[in-house]
């Protein structure tokens, strides 16, 4: 699944109306540019007749400069009405992490960041509480304490947006950030904000999902990583996981057990995003694992 | 977990207000009757202060006749305000299975019945369609075709209730029975009707859950076995399971993958019930696996 | 994952030395023949430098007759030194099932066969015991009782091979067949015999794996579906699964729990094989799910 | 499962020959001392005829001082030939962690330690490499760099044993410690050293299990937490887990995926041990979850 870091490699993602000849056109073009396909995944949705593709290619000795290759490709893209992008496989996208007081997801993300398991640059950690300053500092990462109330929310979000723009961050990770973002904020970054919700959506939306789950007497609890949209906990799902619980587990035990799933699911979703494995498909996602 | 068939053994189940001395009283009583405890599970819910217990005991050479033992125990039970029952561990409870056209759960239950994995007697198989007659016949089991319309529903349910009473069945299994039972029917058999719902409840209640799940773009699909109450898909959950799906899975694939989970979860819930492992706790269950 | 039955579709599988231009050549060829790619999966092994591909295509209105298309493709195949095959996506491969006394896997396969979940024709069921005659008969399938002893093994295997040749079966399924096949038999059908072993290989090879697992005190038990080779339980693995057990589970409970995993894993492996999703890669497999 | 911290509570663990009256004696004794049983788990192994029990009790207002209660209980214990212990439920056992260079398990243990999820005191972190000094320091924990060669092993182990004795540590955790302990060291601490092995034992013992697993072409990889004995990777298993991999996963991907399972399984095993849920049963364990 994951590709190992090495020579120049690029990731091409495509979404377009499905028809005969797309793969031939793309693969033929890459071959003509002496590019070697190392990974390639396709999906044609028969219902929506939309086609999705992710291809990892290595440049060969006879490949033209990358800019001219990209320019050439844009002609094919136009012919097939593609939404497309080509990413440098070595680039480490910049992210901003929002967090409140619970630090298990942050701690997990930072560990994976520190060991290179998540290929990203952390432009900033923002919290509405000051507690996690020292954790950020130990990782030598900028920490911003932006308190927030209902009255100051738009102002606080403006500060966050300022940080995002300044740093050129392309992804925001809500690592158990307990504030609901305004629709305006969400609308500015479609498909670029990942949240971890501590339930198996669409069950138990909103506040206190573990309490809700406990009251309902479920036998499995879950976590869901999804892109954030204006609809609370309604955005496109990237990944989910569950863990078994039983009658003897208190709400506190649900919280404890759930913590591990939250970390795993969020880290997986972030990795998929960073490796350009996630393509939006309306209210759903295509995830090329 | 499961106990193997052998000498006389009995299953005692208890629910009562929690207080000091319950286990001592029960275990002391059994020891005084020369009964050997082979399995015992307890659970005291700290929130509701209710205590649950399931004990499997073998009678010893000096044990009094079972009836007198039961009579003696009822005094203790009264002292502790117990809801209780003692079951013969060799008895095979009688069940009635309701089914419509989808036969995967029925086929699975019949296989487990035939091989002794589910210790039950099947008093009758009832369907609102005739297709499964031959399957029932091969297993030499009585099959009743009771068609149903909105108008004839109470009449049809009366016929089912007649079968239940006649046969002394203590459990009804809805093995993908696609009719909603009337509140009257449900009220007659609280904690004695098990349904398999093809979603991870509380997500996707009601009709066509796989279609709902597909439209939402979930990454896991599930199945839930629960006791039936008047509230649609709201009854106490006995067991749940999930399986991974992805963007390339059509609704039909969800149905195919889901079928295996439905079978497993329903079979597990029925076995727990038959082995007296499930105790009702309000809208939830205690399941001593 | 699974494709739904419909118009003419074909499955092309390829294994060849990896190099630039393979996908372009294949996809270009298909486009030139007015073929629409509905599914395509690739894998280039960086260690062995071998490339694998599975493509499902639909023929278009301007596609030439399938034979001439195949003839054309063989030129490309030669250029790239491909091991390749094109299968009619509607064909239902013929299989022979071998079984002994335990019938859970057979019962499961027959259910999936009967409901169309496994797209195969069952040419024959062969057993070294007579018990499962009636089960086969209910499904109107030919059942052969071929008893076997150490002395008569080669003779008995000759009868099985006779059945295979006569019927044109291309796959043999060992559905808990408790005899070890001779190396001669195995050598005749490389990659065409699927066995279910009731352990998580490579742990607990050989006889009585559940007893071995119980003695070792494992906390998970498993099942493994693999192609059969002369080395006992050493063949390429197609799929595996596990289930949780604990200290209170006897060997008998291991057997009971394991039965469900065996059924699921074997059915999955058979489906992958029938849908041409499994490609041999030395002692390993590539499985395009 | 887990109990929440609160008033005085104690954990009683028992192993003894099975016979009628054990539960009655223990529960009767506790009731007579005004102790309230909050959790209790039993297991009688029918094969070995050995009985195991773990009971969590709260002291009541009329309970005698704990020492006199323990003294009283020892008489019952003698009658039933019990191996037994009573632990203060609030005590946080002292542990020593051994680690080499890979720090994912250490990082995970420290996070759980810091947030109270693992109720232990870390007396020392010992490594044969210096790299993890700073991580230990951030948690304000003593870090000892004890390099080791084949020649200096017994000397180095003596230093570790010195630390253990000095600090009164009762548990040693091998958090990916890449040295094989000498039989002498193992023999000194039976049931008191927990190792995480990065395979699904008994498959792939010894060095480089992920490479072994990759070469064999398995479809699931696993991790096993076990008590250390003189036999390499042969000690009693406490917990295991697996994760799915496929043909496209390199050995490096196995390592990455496996890391998360290793952390989870080791943390779970340590928690079970600290909460006195694990009882040795020959080469196996009883784990009251």
């Amino acid at each position: 699944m994951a590709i190992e870091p090495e020579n120049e490699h690029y990731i091409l993602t495509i979404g377009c109306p499905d028809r005969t000849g797309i793969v031939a056109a793309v693969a033929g073009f890459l071959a003509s540019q002496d590019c070697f396909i190392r990974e390639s995944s396709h999906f044609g949705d028969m219902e929506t007749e939309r086609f999705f593709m992710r291809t990892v290619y290595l440049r060969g000795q006879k490949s033209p400069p990358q800019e001219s290759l990209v320019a050439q490709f844009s002609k094919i893209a136009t012919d097939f009405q593609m939404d497309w992008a080509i990413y440098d496989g070595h680039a480490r996208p910049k992210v901003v992490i929002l967090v409140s007081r619970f630090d298990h997801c942050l701690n997990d993300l930072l560990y994976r960041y520190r060991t290179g398991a998540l290929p990203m640059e952390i432009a900033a950690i923002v919290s509405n509480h000051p507690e996690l300053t020292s954790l950020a500092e130990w990782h030598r990462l900028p920490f911003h304490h932006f308190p927030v109330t209902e009255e100051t929310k738009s102002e606080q979000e403006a500060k966050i947006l300022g940080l995002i723009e300044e740093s050129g961050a392309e992804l925001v990770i809500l690592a158990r950030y307990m504030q609901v973002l305004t629709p305006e904020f969400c609308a500015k970054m479609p498909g670029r904000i990942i949240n971890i919700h501590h339930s198996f959506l669409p069950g138990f939306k909103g506040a206190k999902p573990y309490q809700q789950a406990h009251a309902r007497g479920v036998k499995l609890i879950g976590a869901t990583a999804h892109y954030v949209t204006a609809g609370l906990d309604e955005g496109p799902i990237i990944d989910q996981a569950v863990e078994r619980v039983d009658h003897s587990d208190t709400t506190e035990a649900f919280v404890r057990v759930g913590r591990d799933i939250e970390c795993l699911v969020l880290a997986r979703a972030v990795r998929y995003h960073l490796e350009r494995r996630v393509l939006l498909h309306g209210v759903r996602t295509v995830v090329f694992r």
Side-chain angles (χ1 to χ4, degrees), chain A:
Chain A
M1 300 169 177
I3 53 171
E4 315 316 322
E6 52 165 61
N7 302 344
E8 274 192 275
H9 70 268
Y10 292 87
I11 304 168
L12 165 63
T13 62
I14 294 170
C16 66
D18 205 354
R19 67 180 228 214
T20 298
I22 306 173
V23 180
V26 174
F29 170 77
L30 289 174
S32 75
Q33 309 291 305
D34 193 30
C35 291
F36 176 80
I37 296 178
R38 197 164 64 187
E39 266 188 75
S40 191
S41 309
H42 316 157
F43 168 59
D45 188 88
M46 282 185 281
E47 210 180 325
T48 60
E49 297 190 334
R50 195 157 177 88
F51 175 83
F52 301 88
M53 185 167 173
R54 175 184 181 272
T55 295
V56 180
Y57 67 86
L58 307 182
R59 294 163 47 74
Q61 297 194 323
K62 297 175 196 155
S63 298
Q66 180 65 7
E67 309 77 59
S68 89
L69 191 152
V70 169
Q72 295 264 9
F73 185 74
S74 69
K75 293 172 201 163
I76 295 173
T78 305
D79 286 353
F80 286 89
Q81 301 172 261
M82 291 177 179
D83 286 336
W84 65 288
I86 296 182
Y87 302 94
D88 178 351
H90 287 298
R92 295 157 60 89
K94 283 186 183 144
V95 308
V96 166
I97 301 177
L98 306 194
V99 64
S100 292
R101 275 199 185 97
F102 293 117
D103 65 350
H104 50 283
C105 285
L106 179 65
N107 185 69
D108 183 80
L109 291 172
L110 293 184
Y111 179 76
R112 294 176 200 268
Y113 159 74
R114 173 160 72 81
T115 56
L118 286 179
M120 62 187 180
E121 289 302 329
I122 298 177
I125 298 170
V126 175
S127 180
N128 51 332
H129 295 286
E131 284 88 342
L132 303 177
T133 313
S134 142
L135 182 62
E137 279 174 354
W138 189 75
H139 288 86
R140 299 169 202 272
L141 291 168
F143 180 87
H144 303 268
H145 174 213
F146 292 169
V148 63
T149 64
E150 274 314 302
E151 290 70 43
T152 64
K153 182 170 271 192
S154 59
E155 194 182 327
Q156 188 242 22
E157 287 191 351
K159 285 162 81 175
I160 299 173
L161 279 169
L163 272 180
I164 293 167
E165 274 159 41
E166 230 169 76
S167 64
E170 65 162 77
L171 179 67
V172 172
I173 303 172
L174 309 187
R176 296 298 305 271
Y177 182 62
M178 307 309 279
Q179 297 291 315
V180 177
L181 296 174
T182 62
E184 293 71 38
F185 193 105
C186 298
K188 281 207 176 97
M189 304 192 71
R192 290 174 52 204
I193 311 174
I194 296 178
N195 182 45
I196 181 73
H197 183 71
H198 40 311
S199 87
F200 186 77
L201 289 176
F204 311 125
K205 289 180 200 175
K208 298 198 176 292
Y210 290 130
Q211 280 84 336
Q212 293 182 56
H214 194 264
R216 179 64 185 88
V218 297
K219 301 301 182 185
L220 297 169
I221 55 170
T224 304
H226 63 96
Y227 287 118
V228 173
T229 58
L232 183 63
D233 300 329
E234 295 277 8
I237 294 170
I238 306 170
D239 201 15
Q240 303 187 284
V242 297
E243 190 60 71
R244 193 160 281 279
V245 290
D246 76 18
H247 58 266
S248 71
D249 288 302
T250 57
T251 303
E252 289 71 35
F254 278 31
V255 169
R256 177 174 55 74
V257 170
R259 220 178 269 148
D260 289 335
I261 328 174
E262 293 168 36
C263 290
L264 284 174
V265 171
L266 179 58
R268 223 147 56 189
V270 168
R271 184 168 64 78
Y272 293 158
H273 182 98
L274 295 172
E275 295 179 354
R276 317 301 181 178
R277 296 176 181 279
V278 192
L279 283 77
L280 279 173
H281 185 202
V283 296
R284 293 176 289 169
T285 59
V286 170
V287 181
F288 291 122
R289 285 182 298 167

